[in-house]
Amino acid sequence: MVTEKFIASEYDNVTNRKKQYSLPVRANIVFLLRKTVLENTEYTLTDIKQRNVDNAKFSEEAELLHSLMFKKIRTPIYDIEVNL
């Protein structure tokens, strides 16, 4: 489950989110949330290791999510609009 330590207070507030984060950054946050948190909620760390989930990639994506969410990085990582 996503807890408040994963979500910055600025992002948690819908009105502030639109003011504080650009659309491409918000899209990246949603993409990374889905990849790191939502797709792995049924797995424990042991399960992830046993199922050969790429832990390095998972950790990298989780760190990118945190960096975007807490504004350590202010530009989008992925160009999500490329294939639109």
Side-chain angles (χ1 to χ4, degrees):
M1 177 171 281
V2 179
T3 63
E4 58 187 53
K5 64 179 163 180
F6 291 112
I7 298 180
S9 58
E10 295 91 1
Y11 190 82
D12 195 33
N13 181 300
V14 177
T15 304
N16 286 342
R17 182 183 312 156
K18 291 180 180 180
K19 292 177 184 175
Q20 300 280 331
Y21 300 86
S22 69
L23 180 58
V25 168
R26 293 194 318 265
N28 274 238
I29 289 171
V30 170
F31 175 75
L32 288 165
L33 270 171
R34 181 168 171 86
K35 288 193 59 77
T36 60
V37 178
L38 300 178
E39 288 181 1
N40 293 297
T41 55
E42 73 240 33
Y43 302 123
T44 64
L45 185 55
T46 302
D47 291 334
I48 290 170
K49 287 178 183 175
Q50 289 174 350
R51 294 170 190 258
N52 295 321
V53 172
D54 186 348
N55 289 321
K57 185 174 181 182
F58 176 83
S59 295
E60 180 183 335
E61 290 169 342
E63 184 60 36
L64 289 172
L65 171 61
H66 186 269
S67 294
L68 285 168
M69 181 78 66
F70 289 91
K71 299 182 186 174
K72 293 177 184 176
I73 299 173
R74 295 182 180 262
T75 57
I77 306 303
Y78 304 104
D79 189 358
I80 297 177
E81 297 177 316
V82 168
N83 295 317
L84 292 179

